[in-house]
Amino acid sequence: MKCVLFISCYLLVSPGFVDASPYLPQSDAELLETLPARDETDRRMRDLQSQIRNRPNDWQAVQRLTTLLIERGRATSDPRYFGYAEANLQPWLNAATPHPQALILHATLLQNRHAFAPALQALDQALALQPRSGLAWLSKAAIQQVQGNFTGAWQSCLAARRGTPTLTANACLAAPLSMTGRLKEAQGLLQQTLAGEAEAPVADRQWAWTMLAEIDERLGDPAAAEVAYRQALAFPQASAYLLSTYADFLLQQQRYPEVIDLLKGETRADGLLLRLALAERRLQRAEASEHVQALQARFAAGRLRGETSHQAEEARFYLELAGNPAEALRLAEANWAVQREPRDALIFLQAAKAAAAPARAAPVLRFIAESGVQDTRLQALANTLGARS
């Protein structure tokens, strides 16, 4: 206590303290403090920022830094990184003729916040400048797939084949195949391509194994899905998407301790924290309450920022953790208006069933019937809801 009093008195009588006044930077560019780098990615980003300050026209450095910022934003769910990436690209987007790669990265950022229409416009602009850009066609196919435009996705994947490695191109084609009644054909295409592409880049092989695991799940073959997931997880640096899909697979099988082992420490990304909290709640772990409160605060903050890209996960939060199926259904419907993947259909049908509102499931039931999408989990729910509506 004496020490505290001494320090308080010193602060009150010290001339330095009495005369202290706020320091105002001379310009926005003035650097006030440099925080220590957290990891190797932080160090690489700082090196690239320094390089760009010295050579503003170095597109390669701008491209690498933007890519790292997007990856960091996805890994941490921190929207500031996406803002930094946008700012980094802006001079190249404002040019009389924008750089095609800048347009593709801009489309990635737009896609990330579910602004799919302007993202497609940016990609079309890039393709007008660089018609054989495999990356632009792949990005376009990914958006069309998410929107449920499987014919468009198939055509974009065909166009991407001209400038894309075999594994990436065939994985792209397998996606629309799997959603149009040709799930076994998509499975065979991936299996055959993976067997012949053992030297393909790690990220591509991890993506393809993850996609194969999801197809095995939809076919109702958990043993095969487990094998494929294990193959994907054997590569270093599992993506957040892989972790979330495997966690869902484990949750479906009530293997809750394995979910906690998989995701412990993965609390920065909202989707991973959600799945961790689900497993903790099932096991009545004390940490569940803290994580549920954290998710509630994050979703509230996202709504204040006008974000809508996490509506499917927020719907799942209200359905499985907050016990509010009516709000879950409202969010699932809003999400369905922009995004139509099997997991979006699943949460929609689950919420409609829990809210005792089978008639509101009609858009998803119609989509399943018209597209020919195959998924044993969806079909079981569709049969139940279809009989009630």
Side-chain angles (χ1 to χ4, degrees):
M1 178 62 76
K2 285 181 181 177
C3 180
V4 172
L5 289 172
F6 172 77
I7 294 172
S8 299
C9 292
Y10 173 78
L11 290 174
L12 287 172
V13 302
S14 166
F17 177 79
V18 172
D19 293 340
S21 58
Y23 173 74
L24 295 176
Q26 299 301 308
S27 73
D28 290 343
E30 184 175 347
L31 187 62
L32 298 179
E33 180 69 47
T34 301
L35 298 175
R38 288 182 302 178
D39 53 25
E40 179 57 28
T41 302
D42 259 6
R43 280 187 283 276
R44 287 170 60 198
M45 289 196 291
R46 289 183 182 186
D47 289 345
L48 288 165
Q49 286 167 338
S50 174
Q51 195 172 326
I52 293 167
R53 276 195 295 273
N54 294 328
R55 296 199 303 272
N57 294 325
D58 185 346
W59 165 247
Q60 296 301 324
V62 171
Q63 185 179 30
R64 285 199 298 274
L65 177 58
T66 306
T67 302
L68 287 175
L69 287 166
I70 292 172
E71 289 173 355
R72 177 53 62 92
R74 285 174 173 166
T76 62
S77 290
D78 187 338
R80 290 176 299 175
Y81 288 101
F82 300 122
Y84 302 151
E86 286 273 9
N88 202 41
L89 284 179
Q90 212 55 51
W92 299 83
L93 295 172
N94 291 339
T97 303
H99 196 294
Q101 298 301 315
L103 288 165
I104 295 170
L105 286 169
H106 183 50
T108 301
L109 288 163
L110 291 167
Q111 180 185 357
N112 188 66
R113 56 175 188 258
H114 288 190
F116 294 135
L120 287 173
Q121 287 173 4
L123 289 170
D124 285 339
Q125 197 178 350
L127 286 166
L129 296 166
Q130 213 170 61
R132 297 176 70 90
S133 169
L135 183 57
W137 282 115
L138 288 172
S139 300
K140 186 170 181 175
I143 294 173
Q144 291 167 321
Q145 178 80 11
V146 166
Q147 291 180 310
N149 178 5
F150 305 123
T151 301
W154 174 260
Q155 290 169 345
S156 295
C157 290
L158 287 177
R161 295 180 77 176
R162 290 177 298 188
T164 306
T166 302
L167 179 57
T168 308
N170 285 353
C172 182
L173 289 167
L177 270 182
S178 77
M179 295 294 290
T180 50
R182 299 161 74 183
L183 198 55
K184 289 292 288 184
E185 192 176 337
Q187 182 193 47
L189 176 63
L190 282 174
Q191 288 171 334
Q192 184 179 1
T193 310
L194 278 164
E197 294 288 326
E199 301 303 318
V202 165
D204 292 354
R205 281 182 286 155
Q206 186 182 78
W207 177 38
W209 278 114
T210 305
M211 188 184 295
L212 181 58
E214 289 181 287
I215 287 173
D216 290 334
E217 267 195 275
R218 288 167 53 197
L219 284 166
D221 189 346
E226 178 81 43
V227 171
Y229 275 126
R230 291 289 176 188
Q231 289 280 357
L233 289 163
F235 297 109
Q237 294 185 332
S239 68
Y241 184 81
L242 168 57
L243 291 174
S244 66
T245 52
Y246 186 53
D248 284 344
F249 174 74
L250 295 175
L251 286 167
Q252 178 77 19
Q253 299 190 13
Q254 302 181 12
R255 293 160 61 182
Y256 307 126
E258 291 176 68
V259 176
I260 293 175
D261 287 343
L262 179 73
L263 300 181
K264 58 186 175 188
E266 298 284 354
T267 58
R268 289 188 293 177
D270 297 348
L272 300 182
L273 179 60
L274 170 68
R275 288 157 176 86
L276 178 61
L278 286 169
E280 290 169 343
R281 173 68 67 83
R282 299 293 187 277
L283 294 174
Q284 299 184 333
R285 295 282 184 89
E287 305 91 313
S289 295
E290 178 189 343
H291 289 155
V292 167
Q293 288 175 7
L295 282 164
Q296 204 156 22
R298 291 188 193 183
F299 290 136
R303 283 197 296 276
L304 287 174
R305 292 193 297 268
E307 290 179 4
T308 58
S309 57
H310 291 163
Q311 285 178 319
E313 282 158 339
E314 194 173 354
R316 193 170 175 185
F317 170 84
Y318 277 101
L319 181 65
E320 298 188 48
L321 290 172
N324 187 343
E327 179 64 4
L329 181 55
R330 185 191 70 78
L331 288 161
E333 284 175 321
N335 176 64
W336 187 253
V338 292
Q339 181 156 299
R340 299 183 174 189
E341 294 187 288
R343 64 167 64 181
D344 305 304
L346 194 60
I347 185 61
F348 196 146
L349 296 185
Q350 289 171 334
K353 182 181 177 185
R360 287 170 65 180
V364 178
L365 298 179
R366 189 163 53 248
F367 170 82
I368 292 171
E370 290 175 356
S371 66
V373 62
Q374 298 163 271
D375 189 318
T376 54
R377 300 160 301 179
L378 283 179
Q379 202 55 56
L381 274 168
N383 291 341
T384 303
L385 288 162
R388 292 182 187 176
S389 60

